[in-house]
Amino acid sequence: MGNRSTQERFQHSGETISRYFEYVLNIVCRMGMDVIKPDDPEFSGVPQEILVDCRYMPHFKVFS
């Protein structure tokens, strides 16, 4: 649903709709920092799924 149709549906100005959209988007982004995070923030190991899959493993090998 676009800004204009949202304005019509809720009978508010584009500025009000944009302000609340930005507010909600900021909250979702902050929630993402808490909810979406890696199990190993140091990335010290390679997941088993990558180790056993020949499509991905060449990209994770250390070349000397």
Side-chain angles (χ1 to χ4, degrees):
M1 182 178 274
N3 188 315
R4 190 168 296 225
S5 57
T6 306
Q7 290 175 42
E8 187 64 34
R9 179 178 173 95
F10 295 105
Q11 296 296 304
H12 289 288
S13 71
E15 179 184 348
T16 302
I17 299 298
S18 293
R19 187 175 342 116
Y20 279 97
F21 179 78
E22 181 181 4
Y23 176 74
V24 170
L25 188 60
N26 285 332
I27 290 173
V28 170
C29 288
R30 279 188 265 143
M31 280 177 41
M33 292 176 167
D34 295 331
V35 176
I36 305 169
K37 57 185 172 183
D39 293 332
D40 178 15
E42 299 297 319
F43 298 103
S44 58
V46 179
Q48 189 64 28
E49 295 85 13
I50 293 175
L51 284 173
V52 298
D53 196 328
C54 62
R55 295 176 297 171
Y56 305 122
M57 192 51 205
H59 302 287
F60 289 88
K61 287 184 180 176
V62 178
F63 297 99
S64 31

